[in-house]
Amino acid sequence: MLRPNFKYELKQLLRSNWLWLLCIILISLFSFATYNGLKKVEAREALIASAKAKTQENDTKMLKTLDSLEQGLEVHLKPWDLPSDPIVVGSDHPRVAAMPAADFTFLATGQSDLFAHYKKPKVYGGGIIEDFTEMTSPVQLLFGSFDLAFVIVFLLPLLIIAFSYNVLSAERESGTLRLLAAQPIGIRTWVLQKLLIRFFWLSVLVLVSLIGVLLVFKADPFTNISGLLGLLGLVLVYMLFWFALAFLVNLWVGSSAKNAVAMLGLWIGFVLLVPSMLNQLGTTIYPMPSRTLMINELRARQADATERQDEILDNYLRDHPEYAVNDTTETRNFWHGYMASQNLLRDEIKPVTDRYNAQLKKQQRWVNRFKWLSPAVTIQESLNKLAGTATSDYENYREQVLAFSEEWRAHFMPFLYNNQKFAKADYPDLPRFEYQKQDQSQMASIPMLLLISLVLFGLGFLASRNMKSGGILNQA
């Protein structure tokens, strides 16, 4: 019976122009979303490239100035701007600590519209408060981003609803249900076959359209086969989940109008309400400390440390005898006390920032624990991980930047406290930042969503078996 159903369903879809309409809609949505995503990636890479080019230009000027100083030539710079001073090099010539785009970054905006993609750690300033500041855009947060993840998570289910909400009710309303009941097949089995056939054709359209659009826009999806397979697998299991819901609604509800309302209600629940409730509950159970109070406390401690610089410097030199050997009161300058106070300040504010970050991680763990209540949340998070724009990706980047910032400052401390000038020969030894992308598998979502879909199909068979024979499920 499956083969006749397959042929009949294909003819019906072609005659009704459903397949052509879906193909046009999918290609249009995928094209616009891919274009937007690639433009954002291009802007991100251009911004990083510009920062690196500017750094290289400044380094070239610095090396020329150092060469002139070492040859005893006159340079037209203020004494406090000379690159022979290690503090000048550490503050005016920082390295670019960039987070480059991944192969599938165009797929999902994720957190990329909230956080910077490169930092320039310096030996002083900008490393205490600013490292914990987000680059928020109220307009961007309000309207969101039209990317492929948005099309897959929000819009694709609506196409599935329009494609499957009246599979059984249309037959009843057109008067052909009695003819179907005369066939040697149960109505439940017939509905399942018809939905699976539609799932097959829609999957073909989605996969062909998606891969075709990526090739047209030269997104090079085949350079990362595992990522491409992960993307296609996530799309297929997400589609199967919505077809499983359509199976339940077609068996349980009744008329086409009621089916449409029920499916749209489920879409609102799974895509909008459940994610909002999870986020709101996480915020309520694990409230964040006031960011304003945290920044005010950091500034108060910074002012106090500045007033106690001499005392802090003495303690710092006692803890670092390798620097105290070359120290005399006459050779001390402002930077000796300032850098020692900043080191102490970083240790003192660590508990403050740790409390803030710990509460944020609790909220994230709360969402991860209950994300299975909404396949939309699960798929969105998986797509963000595939794109390298998930919260965990930016947390990993932040930790790497903080570690490099410490390495950058530590590199200049021997120059400062040993009263050693920075020379041209020291330039190759400057620390370099290399971003290490963390390995995150998004495949764990696929078997879980597949299992949920199979449970829904099984639930439809078991629950509908007990319905009255006079209802819409009049069995053959």
Side-chain angles (χ1 to χ4, degrees):
M1 192 67 184
L2 178 60
R3 182 176 297 180
N5 283 342
F6 188 87
K7 293 181 179 179
Y8 173 77
E9 189 68 18
L10 178 59
K11 289 181 180 179
Q12 187 179 23
L13 292 174
L14 290 175
R15 287 173 181 173
S16 64
N17 295 322
W18 250 113
L19 293 181
W20 302 115
L21 179 61
L22 284 174
C23 186
I24 294 173
I25 293 175
L26 288 172
I27 291 176
S28 301
L29 292 176
F30 288 154
S31 298
F32 186 56
T34 303
Y35 174 81
N36 280 345
L38 290 175
K39 283 299 180 182
K40 288 189 175 183
V41 171
E42 290 177 6
R44 171 176 172 174
E45 293 298 313
L47 194 63
I48 294 175
S50 175
K52 290 183 176 180
K54 185 64 176 178
T55 298
Q56 185 62 42
E57 179 183 350
N58 291 338
D59 285 357
T60 301
K61 294 180 180 178
M62 177 186 68
L63 292 174
K64 290 180 179 179
T65 303
L66 287 174
D67 185 64
S68 299
L69 290 173
E70 292 172 6
Q71 295 183 30
L73 302 177
E74 183 180 358
V75 294
H76 301 285
L77 290 174
K78 301 295 183 181
W80 52 83
D81 289 331
L82 294 177
S84 56
D85 186 344
I87 298 299
V88 173
V89 178
S91 59
D92 294 345
H93 300 275
R95 306 299 91 184
V96 177
M99 181 185 181
D103 294 332
F104 286 92
T105 298
F106 66 90
L107 179 64
T109 301
Q111 304 295 312
S112 63
D113 55 349
L114 297 180
F115 298 99
H117 300 115
Y118 76 89
K119 288 280 189 179
K120 291 185 175 182
K122 302 179 180 181
V123 293
Y124 73 92
I128 296 176
I129 296 176
E130 287 81 356
D131 284 336
F132 303 95
T133 303
E134 300 172 356
M135 294 181 59
T136 55
S137 170
V139 176
Q140 186 70 34
L141 293 177
L142 177 63
F143 293 103
S145 299
F146 194 94
D147 51 22
L148 278 174
F150 176 80
V151 174
I152 293 170
V153 175
F154 289 86
L155 301 185
L156 186 56
L158 294 177
L159 295 179
I160 296 174
I161 291 173
F163 196 45
S164 60
Y165 77 96
N166 64 342
V167 167
L168 182 57
S169 58
E171 300 291 343
R172 182 186 185 184
E173 293 164 359
S174 63
T176 58
L177 184 59
R178 293 183 181 275
L179 295 176
L180 290 173
Q183 301 299 318
I185 183 174
I187 297 298
R188 290 188 302 267
T189 305
W190 178 84
V191 173
L192 178 63
Q193 288 186 3
K194 195 164 184 177
L195 284 174
L196 290 180
I197 292 171
R198 295 196 174 201
F199 168 75
F200 170 78
W201 285 116
L202 185 57
S203 298
V204 171
L205 290 178
V206 168
L207 298 185
V208 172
S209 301
L210 181 57
I211 295 176
V213 166
L214 295 182
L215 291 175
V216 169
F217 283 92
K218 298 180 180 179
D220 297 330
F222 294 105
T223 57
N224 187 344
I225 296 298
S226 62
L228 178 62
L229 293 178
L231 170 61
L232 300 183
L234 290 170
V235 173
L236 289 178
V237 295
Y238 189 55
M239 291 173 57
L240 185 63
F241 168 80
W242 286 100
F243 272 98
L245 286 181
F247 179 66
L248 288 176
V249 170
N250 273 277
L251 294 180
W252 285 1
V253 179
S255 67
S256 297
K258 292 180 180 179
N259 287 356
V261 172
M263 290 294 293
L264 289 175
L266 290 172
W267 179 84
I268 293 173
F270 284 116
V271 176
L272 300 179
L273 292 183
V274 174
S276 298
M277 290 175 61
L278 288 177
N279 181 67
Q280 189 63 40
L281 286 173
T283 304
T284 303
I285 297 174
Y286 303 106
M288 295 295 296
S290 172
R291 196 181 190 90
T292 303
L293 293 179
M294 181 188 74
I295 294 178
N296 288 339
E297 183 176 356
L298 297 183
R299 288 173 175 166
R301 295 190 180 218
Q302 192 170 17
D304 179 67
T306 302
E307 294 178 357
R308 298 187 295 114
Q309 284 188 10
D310 292 337
E311 176 188 351
I312 293 172
L313 177 58
D314 291 334
N315 294 332
Y316 181 78
L317 292 176
R318 279 196 296 269
D319 295 335
H320 296 81
E322 69 275 13
Y323 299 148
V325 170
N326 299 318
D327 176 70
T328 64
T329 304
E330 291 77 13
T331 58
R332 290 186 182 184
N333 58 39
F334 166 79
W335 292 113
H336 289 85
Y338 178 82
M339 296 306 297
S341 66
Q342 292 301 294
N343 286 330
L344 176 64
L345 181 60
R346 271 183 284 273
D347 293 336
E348 290 183 347
I349 68 172
K350 190 174 186 303
V352 179
T353 56
D354 284 348
R355 286 197 302 270
Y356 187 90
N357 293 326
Q359 204 73 351
L360 181 61
K361 289 181 179 179
K362 288 179 180 179
Q363 290 185 2
Q364 295 167 355
R365 285 196 295 267
W366 164 267
V367 175
N368 290 332
R369 188 179 300 119
F370 296 101
K371 65 181 181 181
W372 303 110
L373 296 176
S374 171
V377 175
T378 304
I379 292 297
Q380 181 70 65
E381 182 184 11
S382 299
L383 292 176
N384 288 347
K385 289 181 179 179
L386 180 60
T389 58
T391 302
S392 56
D393 290 296
Y394 283 93
E395 178 64 21
N396 173 51
Y397 169 65
R398 189 182 73 88
E399 292 176 354
Q400 291 187 39
V401 170
L402 291 178
F404 177 75
S405 182
E406 290 293 333
E407 180 185 1
W408 181 256
R409 283 190 292 268
H411 181 79
F412 292 96
M413 292 306 98
F415 288 91
L416 175 63
Y417 288 103
N418 290 327
N419 299 307
Q420 177 185 348
K421 291 186 176 182
F422 188 85
K424 184 178 179 180
D426 298 317
Y427 176 78
D429 297 329
L430 289 176
R432 298 290 192 273
F433 179 84
E434 292 292 337
Y435 174 67
Q436 301 296 326
K437 187 180 184 301
Q438 60 179 353
D439 294 329
Q440 296 186 99
S441 176
Q442 68 280 355
M443 296 300 183
S445 304
I446 295 179
M448 180 59 68
L449 286 179
L450 180 60
L451 178 61
I452 293 175
S453 301
L454 294 177
V455 169
L456 291 177
F457 280 118
L459 184 62
F461 269 98
L462 294 176
S464 62
R465 182 176 300 174
N466 298 324
M467 289 187 174
K468 299 296 184 180
S469 58
I472 195 171
L473 293 178
N474 193 10
Q475 298 295 316

